[in-house]
Amino acid sequence: TLKPLTTAPQDEHFINIDMDHMAAEDNPLLTICDPTAPFGKFIAAPTHGHWPCHIHAEDVAGCLDDKGCTWSEATFSCVPTPCLKHCGEEACTADTANACAYNAADDQCYTKPPCDAPDAGSCPQPLCIWDGGCKRNPCGFTTEDACEEASACEWACDQDPPVCLARRCTGDDATCGNEAGCAWYTAPPAAVGAPGACALRQCQHGGEESCKADPACMWDGACTTTTCGKYPTADLCTRDVNCVYDTTVCPSVCRERPPSCTGLDRCGCSADEQCFFNGEGVCVESQYGACPTLDLVVLFDGSGSMSKQFGRHPHGFYGLMESMKQWVGGLPLSGEPADTTSSGATGRVRVAFVQYSGTYDGVQAQKAPVGLGAGGRLSGNKDELLADLDWHEQNYMAKQTYVKQGLEMTTDILTLSPQDG
């Protein structure tokens, strides 16, 4: 008999596959039975509670929870347990080196469950915890990346050594303050509609020396947060164009964005390894040192699908807007406003933005209106461009995916704007 539908039919498709992708190693059709893949998550099912081990990829906890798999420290990957090679109960139970156990119901040799321990002393930590019995630790990850991927866990750098713990601050704006050591932090004012975050209270240092040693804090007669230190999570920090989230330290910290290279003379520019003095006699950030005089129109998706969670960001469209604002902040912009009629600046960049989405018989693209910021025109002025992005953030279209009008609007912007150079 036919298997019932696993999900309700969708009004829109949920994946685009181009023809070149069909021949690639990551062709989605090759992963229709992989539970982590676009199609496989609706189709795949384990055998006797055991998955093919490659499916666990870099998920150490998921690998160790799978009785047919084990984690290889040599290859940093999930591989089949050697126990599977044993045929019959006698050979299986004889292999104590690999902690094998025979399962009569499956007639199969598996690895013993990792938390199968009789007492607290033999309960392996941090993978397991003793709580009236040896139980799986939901935050028993041994690396920061794996820990931070689990929404219920946090990497506690205030412990020695650092360890993965259950998230300590979980309340909302009304209840966060009731949790010991926690405080509610609001999003930057420009991040329209963005949620705040409940996090460990910042800068609780008793003395000047320890306060100054914390990059999120400053001493002003008392220990207080810096301008960017008041955004203790990556989501809050990246919503402020003047801040950057530094993950090279533990704990990660929100810092002020380094000064721009704009305006430095040749000597000042050459003295800063982050800057580059280009052939047009302009100091730019080194990553943009090879940029010619350039006009860019960024055409981005404003459809309803962008409201979903993307990676760690709870809302894809708002995450995109914040990323765009940070990108604009570092570009070697020409400085020219959108109404410049005759441009003389070379070796610089101008940008415009178009959002596409809509309905079959309605508006399918939009740009910021004239009179606000750059008004949807090419501009080399940072403030104008940020105003345009703020407008797009407040006017998220959230409809279906139509791109034709967006392409036509892009062509008009490039054709009708004053020519640069």
Side-chain angles (χ1 to χ4, degrees):
T1 59
L2 290 174
K3 186 177 181 179
L5 287 172
T6 57
T7 59
Q10 298 191 142
D11 292 334
E12 299 181 56
H13 62 279
F14 61 90
I15 187 171
N16 295 314
I17 308 174
D18 58 52
M19 290 305 297
D20 289 340
H21 201 179
M22 295 291 288
E25 292 183 1
D26 59 347
N27 175 1
L29 296 183
L30 299 178
T31 57
I32 59 171
C33 292
D34 183 334
T36 64
F39 297 124
K41 64 184 178 182
F42 300 113
I43 299 171
T47 300
H48 302 305
H50 164 50
W51 294 98
C53 298
H54 72 275
I55 284 174
H56 298 296
E58 298 178 358
D59 180 8
V60 181
C63 178
L64 294 176
D65 279 340
D66 191 316
K67 58 189 177 184
C69 304
T70 188
W71 184 257
S72 171
E73 292 292 344
T75 61
F76 293 100
S77 62
C78 190
V79 298
T81 171
C83 300
L84 292 174
K85 297 179 180 179
H86 299 307
C87 294
E89 183 175 4
E90 183 177 351
C92 178
T93 55
D95 188 349
T96 56
N98 291 304
C100 299
Y102 182 71
N103 186 305
D106 298 347
D107 188 24
Q108 183 72 64
C109 187
Y110 297 121
T111 300
K112 289 181 180 178
C115 299
D116 184 16
D119 52 58
S122 58
C123 184
Q125 297 183 2
L127 183 64
C128 309
I129 55 175
W130 184 264
D131 183 17
C134 193
K135 301 176 182 179
R136 183 75 171 83
N137 180 2
C139 295
F141 304 101
T142 57
T143 65
E144 182 176 3
D145 287 344
C147 181
E148 292 293 347
E149 284 296 326
S151 60
C153 306
E154 67 178 31
W155 188 251
C157 293
D158 55 338
Q159 306 292 308
D160 187 19
V163 65
C164 189
L165 299 176
R167 192 167 295 282
R168 291 170 282 184
C169 300
T170 59
D172 56 24
D173 56 345
T175 62
C176 181
N178 298 329
E179 298 177 326
C182 301
W184 182 258
Y185 292 90
T186 57
V192 180
C198 186
L200 289 175
R201 191 178 297 277
Q202 301 291 294
C203 303
Q204 299 300 292
H205 302 287
E208 181 176 358
E209 185 176 349
S210 59
C211 180
K212 289 183 175 179
D214 187 333
C217 309
M218 63 181 181
W219 183 260
D220 185 19
C223 195
T224 60
T225 56
T226 62
T227 303
C228 293
K230 62 186 177 183
Y231 305 129
T233 68
D235 182 43
L236 293 182
C237 182
T238 55
R239 291 178 183 274
D240 190 317
V241 296
N242 298 309
C243 304
V244 60
Y245 199 61
D246 184 1
T247 59
T248 63
V249 295
C250 189
S252 299
V253 65
C254 189
R255 299 180 185 271
E256 283 73 19
R257 183 173 292 280
S260 170
C261 302
T262 303
L264 295 180
D265 60 18
R266 182 186 296 274
C267 291
C269 189
S270 300
D272 190 334
E273 62 182 21
Q274 302 299 319
C275 302
F276 180 83
F277 203 72
N278 67 17
E280 302 294 336
V282 176
C283 186
V284 299
E285 292 186 29
S286 58
Q287 67 196 57
Y288 300 118
C291 281
T293 299
L294 189 64
D295 285 340
L296 294 172
V297 178
V298 181
L299 177 64
F300 55 86
D301 185 0
S303 69
S305 62
M306 290 295 290
S307 65
K308 299 177 182 178
Q309 179 169 333
F310 281 69
R312 298 182 184 179
H313 203 288
H315 196 290
F317 185 79
Y318 295 141
L320 175 63
M321 292 298 96
E322 297 310 318
S323 297
M324 288 287 186
K325 291 175 185 179
Q326 290 205 354
W327 175 65
V328 164
L331 282 175
L333 297 170
S334 68
E336 301 161 324
D339 58 3
T340 298
T341 56
S342 179
S343 171
T346 59
R348 298 294 188 90
V349 176
R350 297 186 301 175
V351 184
F353 299 101
V354 174
Q355 179 183 172
Y356 67 86
S357 180
T359 57
Y360 175 74
D361 55 354
V363 174
Q364 298 173 359
Q366 64 181 11
K367 59 183 180 178
V370 175
L372 186 150
R377 299 167 293 176
L378 285 168
S379 173
N381 182 283
K382 176 182 173 182
D383 291 337
E384 287 187 346
L385 295 174
L386 291 178
D388 275 21
L389 288 170
D390 283 340
W391 182 87
H392 279 289
E393 189 168 19
Q394 297 171 40
N395 292 273
Y396 171 36
M397 299 180 80
K399 299 186 182 300
Q400 295 174 310
T401 306
Y402 291 97
V403 73
K404 181 175 181 290
Q405 287 185 15
L407 292 170
E408 293 171 347
M409 192 174 289
T410 297
T411 300
D412 288 343
I413 290 174
L414 290 169
T415 302
L416 301 177
S417 293
Q419 297 300 298
D420 199 3

